[in-house]
Amino acid sequence: MNEVVAISYSKEAIVYPSKSPYNPPKVYPELAFNGLNFGVDEDNKVYELVRLSLYLAGLDKENYGTKFWNPFKELVKEGEIVFIKPNMIAEKHKFRDDWEYVVTHGSVIRPIVDYLYIAMNGKGRIIIGDGPQTDSNFWKIAKLIGLFEIQEAYNNLSKNFEVEIINLQDEYWITEDDVYEDTIKLVGDPRGRIFFNLANDSCFSELDGLGRKYYGAFYDIDETNRAHSNGNHIYAIARSPIIADLFINVPKLKTHKKCGITVNLKSLVGINANKNLLPHYTIGTPENGGDQFPKSNVKNKLENKIVLEAKKLLLTKNKLFQLLARKLKGLAYFIFGDTKEVIRSGNWYGNDTVWRMALDLNKILFYGNFDGTIRDNNPKKFFSVVDGIIGMEGEGPYAGDPVRCGVIIAGFDPVAVDAVCAKLMGFDYRKVKLIYKSFEQKRLPITLLKYEDILCVSNNSSWNKRLIEIQYDDVFHFNAPLGWVGHIELEP
């Protein structure tokens, strides 16, 4: 399907409901008919927007407004498993104590659970899970966004229907002043993990043999590069998303320092069982095949040498060196420049690594089998509902600033949905490799659409047209991350 829904509400008027489990503003006919009367929250406009987005997406349109409306009936059946993946990156903003523009709000998840229950006839399993940033506490985030109250409501309703909440993190890092101190091993996905080797199907395969050195998510660079060498491109993925019959992504509308935006495509980092197998940037500068820094200079070379050696020492967990690292961190920023002012770590438009990693993850989700093999057809069923009530601009994904948008964006195709999100954020998809490279994947395609095919369906007349026809003056204009300013924005 080439349609993506973008529903808008007055961005000044709409707010997230404060009381979980985020009951609907009224008992709609289809809810009453299926015994889903948990009470009402008359101020819950978010529920209303999500419900309307399902209707405009063409889901069981002929029964809309009646007690028989069942929007997900073609996507999931009785007794099946659905995996819902919110964005649960961190329990708060990096520098502030607020969070509503950092993670997916539970009020966007609640109506999805309601309509899945109807489609599954009250029999089946919904798994809500994510793997947050490794120094974040999953259970604090789950409590913050109201997942436990949603779970309790449904687990008390039917013995044949279960809402399960799982933390996909395989480890938790203890840090002090952003300096690594120790690792606590976690259970991760209770169903285990699956190793996939994309080999020649990886977006990295065209770089094989060029001597690139990748940096993952941790100081152990050797682990990352063992996974991506000699024609191998290995990822560890949580089993639950792979075994699910339907995957519903509920990402946040945000910018991202390394890839421009993070909505559906990039958010699959959260289904990993070892984030250090994920290349985030390539060490060096473009002149030597890297994308860590935009250009080479004496400071960058010196910084690289010192920082890489320091990270190796931090792996030893030596307390004295950890203390020294914390004490000297401020001096290092004084010499080499603060990250808010200096582009490093692949945080710029020239990052040629993250888009490859993200698209590899999408290939695995859509075509990965339970045994770690890759099929070449029959992609997994997918649906997306994007939380754009309050988005994030600037230094995303968790250090940016809030943007009140009042929108819900939904669709069946992750690339098409991300393309619509980029346009509505005021960004040119041709300048976002993560998106335009998605349209070029011939083997294990993530989309079968062309950008020109995408139709935006909306209650906003300025958006209710072909995506290429939406005008510059009719979209939001998010501030880009520091390393993307002047390189991603739409032109008037």
Side-chain angles (χ1 to χ4, degrees), residues 174-407:
I174 299 174
T175 62
E176 186 174 343
D177 297 329
D178 276 343
V179 174
Y180 168 79
E181 289 200 337
D182 204 356
T183 296
I184 298 176
K185 290 294 182 182
L186 303 177
V187 174
D189 188 339
R191 295 173 181 82
R193 59 183 178 176
I194 307 172
F195 285 95
F196 291 92
N197 186 354
L198 280 179
N200 290 334
D201 289 328
S202 169
C203 292
F204 287 102
S205 63
E206 65 180 348
L207 305 180
D208 287 347
L210 297 180
R212 305 292 169 87
K213 181 174 282 189
Y214 303 115
Y215 188 89
F218 188 47
Y219 303 156
D220 189 351
I221 297 173
D222 291 341
E223 180 183 36
T224 309
N225 287 279
R226 283 195 300 270
H228 297 277
S229 61
N230 300 319
N232 296 312
H233 295 286
I234 299 170
Y235 298 89
I237 306 298
R239 183 176 291 271
S240 292
I242 300 299
I243 68 170
D245 299 286
L246 169 65
F247 187 92
I248 297 184
N249 206 349
V250 196
K252 195 76 171 173
L253 188 67
K254 297 193 291 185
T255 52
H256 196 289
K257 293 185 292 184
K258 286 181 169 59
C259 55
I261 73 167
T262 173
V263 192
N264 285 293
L265 296 168
K266 173 61 171 61
S267 74
L268 290 196
V269 164
I271 68 170
N272 280 268
N274 183 345
K275 285 189 172 65
N276 202 37
L277 302 188
L278 306 179
H280 282 67
Y281 60 84
T282 304
I283 293 173
T285 61
E287 65 188 48
N288 57 24
D291 55 24
Q292 180 183 10
F293 301 104
K295 57 185 178 181
S296 182
N297 57 45
V298 174
K299 267 192 178 183
N300 288 347
K301 291 177 181 178
L302 181 60
E303 177 183 345
N304 229 5
K305 184 173 179 59
I306 293 173
V307 171
L308 289 177
E309 289 302 319
K311 288 180 175 180
K312 288 179 183 178
L313 288 171
L314 284 170
L315 279 174
T316 68
K317 302 179 185 178
N318 182 285
K319 296 295 183 184
L320 181 59
F321 188 75
Q322 289 172 350
L323 176 62
L324 187 62
R326 291 196 299 272
K327 296 289 186 183
L328 294 178
K329 190 170 185 179
L331 177 61
Y333 278 140
F334 177 77
I335 295 171
F336 300 117
D338 191 280
T339 302
K340 297 176 184 178
E341 303 165 349
V342 175
I343 299 170
R344 56 165 61 88
S345 303
N347 296 335
W348 66 300
Y349 70 93
N351 187 312
D352 194 43
T353 305
V354 161
W355 71 266
R356 299 175 189 274
M357 173 264 285
L359 297 193
D360 276 4
L361 297 179
N362 280 268
K363 291 178 180 183
I364 290 171
L365 174 69
F366 280 97
Y367 298 99
N369 296 318
F370 308 159
D371 61 357
T373 58
I374 301 290
R375 59 187 180 275
D376 58 8
N377 55 30
N378 192 29
K380 183 182 292 294
K381 289 183 288 184
F382 174 93
F383 193 72
S384 170
V385 179
V386 180
D387 176 3
I389 303 300
I390 306 178
M392 179 183 287
E393 66 180 1
E395 302 306 294
Y398 79 117
D401 298 306
V403 183
R404 292 192 171 273
C405 300
V407 300

Side-chain angles (χ1 to χ4, degrees), residues 392-435:
M392 179 183 287
E393 66 180 1
E395 302 306 294
Y398 79 117
D401 298 306
V403 183
R404 292 192 171 273
C405 300
V407 300
I408 293 290
I409 302 163
F412 295 92
D413 185 306
V415 181
V417 173
D418 280 19
V420 169
C421 289
K423 183 68 174 280
L424 296 185
M425 294 167 81
F427 299 140
D428 186 337
Y429 88 101
R430 294 167 297 185
K431 302 174 184 177
V432 183
K433 286 185 179 180
L434 178 63
I435 299 177

